[in-house]
Amino acid sequence: DAGVIQSPRHEVTEMGQEVTLRCKPISGHNSLFWYRQTMMRGLELLIYFNNNVPIDDSGMPEDRFSAKMPNASFSTLKIQPSEPRDSAVYFCAGSRGHGANTQYFGPGTRLTVL
Amino acid sequence: GENVEQHPSTLSVQEGDSAVIKCTYSDSASNYFPWYKQELGKGPQLIIDIRSNVGEKKDQRIAVTLNKTAKHFSLHITETQPEDSAVYFCAAGGSSNTGKLIFGQGTTLQVKP
């Protein structure tokens, strides 16, 4: 099993540009989580899907952020327009079932917005 | 709201010594408490977890203890090795019957050879 796959691994963009981060969870993991990690705020949950349906998006910072999960094997996190304060490492994680279980994290995408 | 406090933020020990990291949580309905290890440039990886029906769990050099009454849990690493150097996160979840986890702020552990 390849584990959770995220792309790109690094992204450098200019303020105002659209950024799309991608995630492929482990097959059979029907819960998917997007996190943001910064030194100041630690690991923050942005949004959580179960069976492709958004369950909790209370952590999404503002309307500039959106996430989709069109099928069980693919999810995107989009930032439009991007701002320097969005610079962070973004992780995708997956788990089995709907309750609290082991979450398997991807390698992350390091985003830098200039 | 839900909150998990983790201490200390940094911890330095000599190789072979023990390391202890402590966490407290606010939601008394939480019933799942995992610990993650994050190495530089990688995503967090689960090293051990415990559910609320158990007070202690051990896996080789790693152990976790849970005190539900006091709402705190701890990670114990014995006979530390340089490869244990990493950032460790505790988390709490299960209260809303969803997969949501609330993470602590992390502890940077340095094991000196």
Side-chain angles (χ1 to χ4, degrees), chain A residues 33 45 48 55-56 98-101 103, chain B residues 1-4 25-34 50-52 68 71 91-103:
Chain A
F33 308 82
L45 177 65
Y48 155 41
I55 302 299
D56 185 343
H98 186 48
N101 286 309
Q103 292 187 15
Chain B
E2 302 158 337
N3 188 45
V4 174
Y25 59 98
S26 60
D27 189 342
S28 57
S30 296
N31 58 22
Y32 176 63
F33 308 93
I50 192 168
R51 295 196 182 264
S52 59
K68 283 219 75 178
K71 291 191 286 187
S95 62
S96 56
N97 200 30
T98 71
K100 185 175 178 177
L101 295 176
I102 306 299
F103 282 84

Side-chain angles (χ1 to χ4, degrees), chain B residues 81-101:
Chain B
Q81 300 167 2
E83 51 265 40
D84 294 330
S85 297
V87 180
Y88 291 81
F89 292 94
C90 63
S95 62
S96 56
N97 200 30
T98 71
K100 185 175 178 177
L101 295 176

Side-chain angles (χ1 to χ4, degrees), chain A residues 35-39 42-44 87-91, chain B residues 38 44 89:
Chain A
Y35 290 91
R36 177 172 66 178
Q37 186 176 40
T38 61
M39 287 295 292
L43 261 172
E44 300 175 275
S87 297
V89 180
Y90 291 81
F91 289 103
Chain B
Q38 185 177 24
F89 292 94

